[in-house]
Amino acid sequence: MCARPVHLAIIHKNYLDAVLRGEKSVEARIARVRCAPFGRVERGDLIYLKQTGGPVLAFATARRVRTYRDMTPGDLRALRVEWNDRICGSSEFWAGRHGCRYATLIELVDINSTVSPSLRRRLLDWVPRGSRSGWHVIERDAARRAA
């Protein structure tokens, strides 16, 4: 049996706060090119939530994952209409997605804000120095060793 990965999602403070308050239930990653988490996250995967420029504050489970590819501007508008009440994206968020062709929508459940300081530090050891990526896939065995 193959070890399932865990994920480290880097999220802006206002969106992470909305997740922790229970207002935001879907994490959206929308990009011009195919990149993680597209095709890398599945139902049941564990996702650690890290504040941009800050610590790992929580973890959640992916309940449902939906992916979209080869999106047109009309597809992106439809996605906004259907999902934004759960994504909680600002006008600036959506304006910055103009021209994007790939989307991954992840419904987050079982959100838990209890992450030990040692695990917080060790998870960051798995992120390459200088990485500007907002999503990292960590093999489950590596994450267990970090705990």
Side-chain angles (χ1 to χ4, degrees), residues 62-83:
R63 176 195 250 167
R64 289 188 191 106
V65 179
R66 295 181 189 251
T67 57
Y68 302 84
R69 66 177 74 218
D70 300 323
M71 292 190 314
T72 66
D75 294 332
L76 189 60
R77 283 190 297 276
L79 206 105
R80 180 179 184 178
V81 168
E82 182 178 352
W83 290 94

Side-chain angles (χ1 to χ4, degrees), residues 4-5 50 83 85 109 122 139:
R4 292 188 51 188
K50 179 190 176 304
W83 290 94
D85 63 323
V109 295
R122 289 181 179 152
E139 294 306 316

Side-chain angles (χ1 to χ4, degrees), residues 100-115:
C100 289
R101 300 184 57 220
Y102 297 89
T104 305
L105 305 183
I106 306 156
E107 183 181 357
L108 302 174
V109 295
D110 302 329
I111 298 158
N112 187 321
S113 59
T114 305
V115 180

